C-alpha cells in the first residue's frame, strides 16, 4: 500500500535530465572559454572550430528539445529564454574573426538560471545546500571573468606563457576580492586603477552577501533545531515571568523536548489540513503507516477502512505520569497507541488493571455504551497516541461492521474482566 511504484514517464524524465545536464555543462564550458579565447587568442585551445560547430549544433537541438518539452508539460517556453537560446545557437564562427561574437553565446546562461530556479522549486527542503552551490557557481564564473578582464588590461608580454599569465591574473583577482591584497601586483595605469576599484567593490559586496547569509544558511541547515531552541528560550522566559513551579517547568520542557525530537516540532494535523483531498488521503496514510502496521486488526483491514481511519485520527503526545482521562469523566474520544505504554487504573485509583502497549487501543467502552469512563488511563512512558473523536468513531463503526465487531469483542472481554475483578473483591465496604 505504501510502496512507491515508478512514476509514468520516468524514462522520458531521465532522458530530459541527462540532456539538460549536458547542455548546462556545455554552457559552462562556453562561459569559461569565450573570454579566454578573446584575451589569450583564438588559437588557445586545439580543435576550437570543432568545439564551436558542436556547440552550435547542440544548442540548436536544445531549442527543439525545449519546444517539445514545453508542449509536453504545457508550460510556456518563455520569450526571453527562446531569444537567448536562438542567439546562442547562431554559428558566429562562420563569420570569421569572430572571438568577440562568442560572447553572444553567454546569453545561454539564462538557461542555467532557469534550471536553478526549477531545482529550487523541486528541492525546497535542500534549498540551503543548493543556495551554497549556486553561489559558488556564479562566483567562480564571475571571478574567472574578472581575472580575464584584468589580463586584457595588463596585456600579454611577448614570450610569456599564456596560462601562467592567466594564473597570475586569477591570483590577483582572488586576493583583491577576498580583500587580502598582497600588493605584489598593482595597477599600472588609470584604467587598471578603475578596474581594481570595481573588483574591490565587488569583493566587498560579495563579503556582505556571505556574511549576511551565513547565519541564515547555518541556521536553516537544522530548521527544526533552530526553531526548537528559539521556542525553548521564549518558553523559559514565559515560565519564569509566570512563576511556574520548577517541577512543572521541567515537565513542560520534557514534553516539548519529546515533541521536537520525535516530530521535529511540526504539528502534522495542521500541515496536512491544507492539502487537496486526494493528496490528503495519501499523505495521511503515509504519516499514519506506523500505527496502521501496529494495530493488528487495522493491518488486515480493507483499504476503505484504513483510508477513513487515517483521515480522522489525530496525533497527541502524553508525558510519563499524565492522566489521559479519569474514571467517571464524560467520554468524547478513543485512542490508539503508536508508541509507549499506558496503564488502565482500577476504580480504587491505585491498582493497575492492565498495561496497554503499541498497537492497543482504549477508551472504546464509554463510547459504545454511552456512559462515563469505566477506568482512568495514565501514560506510563512518553506516549504517541492517535485520537479518534466520538463523531468519527460512530461513523466508522456504522460504516465498517468488521471494525465494529472487533472493537465490540475486545470491549466485551474487558468488561467481563472488570466484572470478574469486582466480584473477586466483593461489595465495597
Ligand atoms: P472506557 O471505559 O471508555 O475508559 C477506560 C478504558 O480503559 C476503557 O474504555 C477500556 O478501553 C480500558 N479498559 C478497561 N478495562 C480494561 C482491561 N481490563 N483491559 C484493558 N483495557 C481496559
Amino acid at each position: 500500500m505504501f510502496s512507491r511504484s515508478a512514476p509514468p514517464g520516468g524514462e522520458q524524465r531521465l532522458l530530459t535530465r541527462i540532456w539538460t545536464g549536458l547542455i548546462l555543462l556545455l554552457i559552462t564550458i562556453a562561459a569559461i572559454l569565450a573570454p579566454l579565447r578573446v584575451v589569450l587568442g583564438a588559437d588557445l585551445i586545439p580543435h576550437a572550430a570543432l568545439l564551436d560547430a558542436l556547440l552550435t549544433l547542440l544548442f540548436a537541438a536544445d531549442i527543439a528539445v525545449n519546444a517539445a518539452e514545453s508542449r509536453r508539460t504545457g508550460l510556456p517556453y518563455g520569450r526571453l529564454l527562446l531569444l537567448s537560446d536562438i542567439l546562442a545557437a547562431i554559428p558566429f564562427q562562420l563569420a570569421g574573426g569572430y572571438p568577440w561574437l562568442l560572447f553572444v553565446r553567454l546569453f545561454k546562461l539564462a538557461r542555467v538560471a532557469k534550471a536553478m530556479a526549477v531545482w529550487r522549486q523541486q528541492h525546497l527542503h535542500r534549498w540551503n545546500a543548493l543556495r551554497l552551490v549556486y553561489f559558488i557557481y556564479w562566483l567562480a564564473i564571475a571571478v574567472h571573468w574578472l581575472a580575464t578582464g584584468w589580463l586584457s588590461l595588463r596585456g600579454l608580454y611577448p614570450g610569456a606563457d599564456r596560462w601562467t599569465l592567466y594564473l597570475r591574473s586569477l591570483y590577483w583577482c582572488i586576493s583583491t576580492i577576498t580583500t587580502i591584497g598582497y600588493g605584489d601586483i598593482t595597477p599600472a595605469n588609470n584604467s587598471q586603477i578603475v578596474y581594481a576599484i570595481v573588483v574591490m567593490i565587488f569583493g566587498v559586496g560579495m563579503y556582505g552577501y556571505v556574511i549576511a547569509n551565513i547565519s541564515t544558511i547555518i541556521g536553516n541547515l537544522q530548521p527544526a533545531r533552530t526553531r526548537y531552541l528559539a521556542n525553548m528560550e521564549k518558553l523559559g522566559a514565559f515560565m519564569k515571568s509566570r512563576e511556574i513551579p520548577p517541577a512543572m517547568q521541567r515537565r513542560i520542557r520534557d514534553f516539548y523536548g519529546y515533541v521536537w525530537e520525535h516530530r521535529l516540532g511540526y504539528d502534522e494535523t495542521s500541515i496536512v489540513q491544507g492539502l487537496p483531498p486526494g493528496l490528503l488521503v495519501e499523505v495521511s496514510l503515509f504519516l499514519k503507516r506506523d500505527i496502521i502496521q501496529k494495530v493488528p486488526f487495522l493491518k488486515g483491514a480493507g483499504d476503505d477502512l484504513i483510508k477513513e481511519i487515517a483521515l480522522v485520527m489525530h496525533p497527541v503526545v502524553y508525558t510519563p505520569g499524565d492522566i489521559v482521562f479519569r474514571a467517571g469523566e464524560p467520554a468524547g474520544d478513543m485512542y490508539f497507541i503508536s508508541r509507549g505504554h499506558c496503564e488502565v487504573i482500577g476504580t480504587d485509583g491505585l491498582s493497575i488493571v492492565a498495561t496497554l502497549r503499541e498497537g492497543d487501543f482504549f477508551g472504546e467502552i464509554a463510547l459504545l455504551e454511552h456512559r462515563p469512563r469505566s477506568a482512568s488511563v495514565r501514560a506510563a512512558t512518553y506516549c504517541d497516541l492517535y485520537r479518534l473523536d466520538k463523531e468519527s468513531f460512530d461513523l466508522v463503526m456504522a460504516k465498517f461492521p468488521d471494525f465494529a465487531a472487533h472493537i465490540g469483542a475486545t470491549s466485551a472481554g474487558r468488561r467481563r474482566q472488570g466484572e470478574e475483578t469486582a466480584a473477586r473483591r466483593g461489595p465495597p465496604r
Side-chain angles (χ1 to χ4, degrees):
M1 186 190 315
F2 300 112
S3 67
R4 282 195 233 161
S5 53
E11 231 168 77
Q12 163 85 42
R13 264 204 290 273
L14 180 69
L15 283 177
T16 313
R17 271 189 206 160
I18 294 173
W19 175 260
T20 309
L22 175 71
I23 293 295
L24 296 188
L25 180 73
L26 290 175
I27 299 169
T28 309
I29 291 174
I32 293 169
L33 288 183
L36 277 180
R37 286 168 69 187
V38 169
V39 177
L40 295 180
D43 59 333
L44 182 72
I45 49 162
H47 311 303
L50 191 67
L51 178 74
D52 283 332
L54 190 74
L55 286 178
T56 303
L57 211 68
L58 291 178
F59 285 175
D62 189 43
I63 300 177
V65 171
N66 288 329
E69 191 61 12
S70 156
R71 265 197 308 276
R72 192 178 69 81
T73 57
L75 296 170
Y77 197 121
R79 261 189 227 160
L80 279 178
L81 273 178
L82 179 62
L83 186 67
S84 68
D85 283 351
I86 291 174
L87 285 172
I90 296 175
F92 289 110
Q93 61 271 31
L94 300 179
Y98 59 89
W100 280 101
L101 289 173
L102 290 180
F103 279 115
V104 179
R105 283 230 170 95
L106 303 192
F107 279 111
K108 188 93 178 160
L109 280 168
R111 264 280 148 219
V112 180
K114 168 82 180 169
M116 287 180 170
V118 171
W119 291 334
R120 182 191 167 168
Q121 286 298 322
Q122 288 172 348
H123 304 280
L124 270 180
H125 55 295
R126 288 199 206 113
W127 171 223
N128 279 295
L130 277 183
R131 181 153 64 169
L132 214 61
V133 173
Y134 294 178
F135 176 69
I136 292 170
Y137 178 88
W138 290 117
L139 182 67
I141 298 247
V143 168
H144 168 69
W145 287 351
L146 287 171
T148 42
W150 178 249
L151 189 55
S152 78
L153 288 177
R154 302 284 283 187
L156 304 179
Y157 341 146
D161 171 42
R162 287 181 290 183
W163 286 110
T164 308
L165 290 179
Y166 170 73
L167 204 63
R168 281 174 64 79
S169 270
L170 192 64
Y171 159 79
W172 172 84
C173 192
I174 291 176
S175 66
T176 307
I177 280 176
T178 52
T179 71
I180 294 170
Y182 288 115
D184 51 347
I185 301 175
T186 48
N189 56 37
N190 285 355
S191 51
Q192 288 180 21
I193 291 174
V194 171
Y195 194 83
I197 291 173
V198 171
V199 175
M200 284 175 210
I201 292 172
F202 175 80
V204 170
M206 189 205 73
Y207 249 133
Y209 176 85
V210 170
I211 300 214
N213 281 281
I214 213 97
S215 64
T216 321
I217 289 174
I218 291 175
N220 285 351
L221 284 177
Q222 289 183 303
R225 177 122 202 97
T226 313
R227 218 147 61 89
Y228 167 62
L229 292 176
N231 280 353
M232 286 308 254
E233 244 173 67
K234 267 193 244 163
L235 180 70
F238 168 79
M239 293 192 298
K240 205 169 155 200
S241 75
R242 300 301 294 265
E243 295 176 0
I244 292 181
M248 201 182 278
Q249 284 196 24
R250 206 188 52 245
R251 287 184 61 195
I252 295 174
R253 277 214 179 84
D254 285 354
F255 167 76
Y256 279 117
Y258 180 84
V259 169
W260 281 96
E261 205 175 302
H262 289 86
R263 300 179 186 279
L264 293 177
Y266 294 108
D267 172 8
E268 75 186 41
T269 309
S270 68
I271 288 178
V272 298
Q273 238 21 266
L275 297 175
L279 190 55
L280 175 70
V281 174
E282 273 188 52
V283 175
S284 299
L285 281 172
F286 182 78
L287 289 175
K288 289 157 191 170
R289 68 196 181 287
D290 57 337
I291 188 74
I292 292 167
Q293 296 298 321
K294 280 173 194 162
V295 176
F297 74 91
L298 280 184
K299 211 163 134 189
D303 276 4
D304 285 354
L305 168 62
I306 290 178
K307 276 184 194 160
E308 188 96 26
I309 284 257
L311 277 178
V312 291
M313 283 193 306
H314 297 293
V316 274
V317 173
Y318 285 88
T319 59
D322 281 352
I323 301 290
V324 181
F325 50 70
R326 290 179 198 281
E329 276 180 7
D333 28 42
M334 71 168 288
Y335 299 83
F336 292 88
I337 304 177
S338 169
R339 185 184 303 160
H341 299 165
C342 288
E343 291 166 339
V344 180
I345 302 165
T347 38
D348 59 1
L350 291 172
S351 57
I352 293 170
V353 176
T355 299
L356 303 173
R357 293 161 203 283
E358 288 183 1
D360 286 336
F361 59 85
F362 61 87
E364 79 294 354
I365 297 181
L367 296 190
L368 281 174
E369 299 187 357
H370 307 286
R371 63 176 172 98
R373 297 294 187 193
S374 60
S376 303
V377 175
R378 180 175 61 202
T381 59
Y382 278 104
C383 285
D384 278 354
L385 308 180
Y386 278 96
R387 189 164 55 81
L388 188 64
D389 66 33
K390 180 164 168 29
E391 206 177 306
S392 310
F393 173 82
D394 288 342
L395 218 99
V396 178
M397 291 288 282
K399 223 167 148 185
F400 300 99
D402 286 353
F403 175 81
H406 182 86
I407 297 268
T410 311
S411 159
R414 288 173 174 176
R415 268 193 321 257
R416 213 174 309 118
Q417 193 187 338
E419 283 157 13
E420 283 166 12
T421 315
R424 266 200 307 276
R425 279 212 197 105
R429 273 174 271 165

